[in-house]
Amino acid sequence: MGIINFFKKAFGDMKKSAKAQHQVDKAQFNAVKAESRANWEEAKMSPAQRQEKMQRERDEKIAEANKRTAEANERIEKAKANRK
């Protein structure tokens, strides 16, 4: 009887694992599908809209870089103050 229960448990675990993996695969598929749709819609944008979108993205990247620079400068000042 011990071996039968072992296999029942093993196959039950495999079934649960397969269901969980299926949910992951389904979610990833839906994400890729949505991203593809977004890429398609963006490809259909007018040149002016595309330029505006690209400028917004550049502005966001510049803001992020400036924030990182400010944080690094803060750390530098703290390190210099602690060194004295």
Side-chain angles (χ1 to χ4, degrees):
M1 284 299 199
I3 194 84
I4 293 173
N5 288 333
F6 171 79
F7 281 111
K8 280 185 180 180
K9 184 177 182 317
F11 284 112
D13 290 344
M14 287 190 297
K15 183 177 179 180
K16 287 179 189 175
S17 180
K19 281 185 179 182
Q21 186 61 45
H22 177 70
Q23 290 175 338
V24 170
D25 293 342
K26 189 174 179 181
Q28 288 177 337
F29 175 77
N30 288 333
V32 169
K33 186 177 171 182
E35 289 169 347
S36 294
R37 178 63 186 223
N39 289 339
W40 173 251
E41 292 299 327
E42 288 174 350
K44 295 190 303 185
M45 291 186 336
S46 71
Q49 289 173 323
R50 189 173 297 117
Q51 288 296 328
E52 186 179 311
K53 177 184 175 287
M54 290 173 65
Q55 186 61 46
R56 279 194 312 269
E57 289 174 354
R58 285 191 293 264
D59 291 343
E60 289 172 5
K61 288 178 182 179
I62 289 170
E64 178 63 27
N66 289 338
K67 179 182 171 190
R68 289 174 43 210
T69 301
E71 289 172 356
N73 287 335
E74 241 179 71
R75 289 175 43 212
I76 290 169
E77 292 303 318
K78 284 181 184 178
K80 284 183 180 179
N82 289 336
R83 194 171 46 183
K84 293 181 182 178

